[in-house]
Amino acid sequence: MAPRQVIVTADDFGLSPAVNEAIERSHRDGVLRCASLMVGGAAMRDAVQRARRLPQLRVGLHVVVVDGRPVLPAARVPDLVDRDGRFGVQLLRSGIRFFFVPRVRRQLEAEIRAQFEVFAATGLALDHVNVHKHMHLHPTVLSLILKIGRDFGVRAMRLPYEPIRALRGLHARRLGPLLSAALLMPWNGLLRRRMRRAGIRFNHYVFGLSTTGGMTEDVVLRIVQGLPEGVSEIYFHPAAAACTTGTGRPAFDRREAELWALVSPRVRAALTASGIRMISFSELA
């Protein structure tokens, strides 16, 4: 295992101006190195403009196939969207249809390719790819990402494996996060094997999965203190102010606290003192 390295990422870039502002501030004034762009987000153009002003911010594609809007017209993907033109929010139901219904798979492939094309049109270098709600753990979604990604030069992806040993320290006396991690282990194993076969680079561990919406300064300091050897990704969902998901539904209650964690002098000092090297996905060997 390599010496300890960390990739600090923010998801949902392009979701709203409040999210974009938080990502810019976290990069300028904090420890953020990478952001994952939602090309169908309501504030995507604003995100791209900010990214162009921040040449050291590494930007990847945050593919959305559930709980969001497509970039293709709803008429092109009628089996993926509801009457309001939105993807479904029920992950299990969507996953079953992705796997078993051929016309759904064809529409899914067209939508994923369209999202890659929109990202390519921005002119930004593609640092990495991940999928909203970690739907790339689904074998059909993963196959399409790997297939389409070859045409767009994908070299790195997120492995959403949160180590159980670390979870015990973060969630004392809580069985839920441990059970969730155990249930995801076979899918992470499949993802790991398929990425290796495809020549895709990835992190060894991820932190932020079981604490989504709660990446406060104290939580992040505990994560940094316990980072294992190898490459860990710590990911966030920050916002500069109260925001919604774009559908009127409130976003995570503590998005602003995640911004403060990213710009915290204590977090920066802890990373510096630990000797952990901060990198981006494009720097993975």
Side-chain angles (χ1 to χ4, degrees), residues 214-258:
M215 293 288 282
T216 63
E217 181 187 65
D218 287 343
V219 168
V220 176
L221 287 170
R222 286 157 57 197
I223 289 172
V224 170
Q225 185 179 28
L227 281 179
E229 293 182 346
V231 180
S232 296
E233 182 190 9
I234 307 175
Y235 76 97
F236 296 77
H237 296 88
C243 65
T244 68
T245 59
T247 66
R249 294 195 301 271
F252 301 123
D253 293 338
R254 304 178 78 178
R255 277 187 183 263
E256 199 165 4
E258 298 203 10

Side-chain angles (χ1 to χ4, degrees), residues 250-268:
F252 301 123
D253 293 338
R254 304 178 78 178
R255 277 187 183 263
E256 199 165 4
E258 298 203 10
L259 164 59
W260 301 131
L262 281 162
V263 299
S264 162
R266 293 177 65 203
V267 169
R268 182 189 292 276

Side-chain angles (χ1 to χ4, degrees), residues 99-275:
F99 192 83
F100 287 107
V101 185
R103 70 175 183 277
V104 171
R105 290 199 300 274
R106 289 192 294 271
Q107 293 172 29
L108 183 67
E109 179 172 0
E111 172 61 24
I112 292 174
R113 182 171 292 278
Q115 292 187 31
F116 272 95
E117 289 171 346
V118 172
F119 186 98
T122 69
L124 298 172
L126 181 63
D127 180 74
H128 62 274
V129 173
N130 55 49
V131 184
H132 192 47
K133 306 293 186 181
H134 298 111
M135 284 296 288
H136 56 304
L137 287 169
H138 188 292
T140 301
V141 177
L142 175 60
S143 293
L144 292 173
I145 294 287
L146 295 177
K147 173 185 174 182
I148 296 166
R150 285 196 298 267
D151 297 335
F152 293 88
V154 173
R155 297 180 62 193
M157 290 176 61
R158 172 185 292 162
L159 177 73
Y161 169 60
E162 201 161 23
I164 290 178
R165 182 176 62 181
L167 288 175
R168 291 195 184 102
L170 286 172
H171 303 284
R173 303 185 187 90
R174 287 183 58 199
L175 289 178
L178 297 174
L179 291 174
S180 295
L183 288 171
L184 289 178
M185 285 183 70
W187 303 106
N188 269 309
L190 175 64
L191 175 58
R192 187 184 290 110
R193 290 192 297 273
R194 294 191 62 185
M195 287 194 296
R196 279 180 178 151
R197 286 202 299 268
I200 301 294
R201 299 165 183 171
F202 54 90
N203 52 297
H204 299 119
Y205 310 104
V206 77
F207 295 89
L209 183 59
S210 66
T211 45
T212 293
M215 293 288 282
T216 63
E217 181 187 65
D218 287 343
V219 168
V220 176
L221 287 170
R222 286 157 57 197
I223 289 172
V224 170
Q225 185 179 28
L227 281 179
E229 293 182 346
V231 180
S232 296
E233 182 190 9
I234 307 175
Y235 76 97
F236 296 77
H237 296 88
C243 65
T244 68
T245 59
T247 66
R249 294 195 301 271
F252 301 123
D253 293 338
R254 304 178 78 178
R255 277 187 183 263
E256 199 165 4
E258 298 203 10
L259 164 59
W260 301 131
L262 281 162
V263 299
S264 162
R266 293 177 65 203
V267 169
R268 182 189 292 276
L271 285 165
T272 301
S274 68

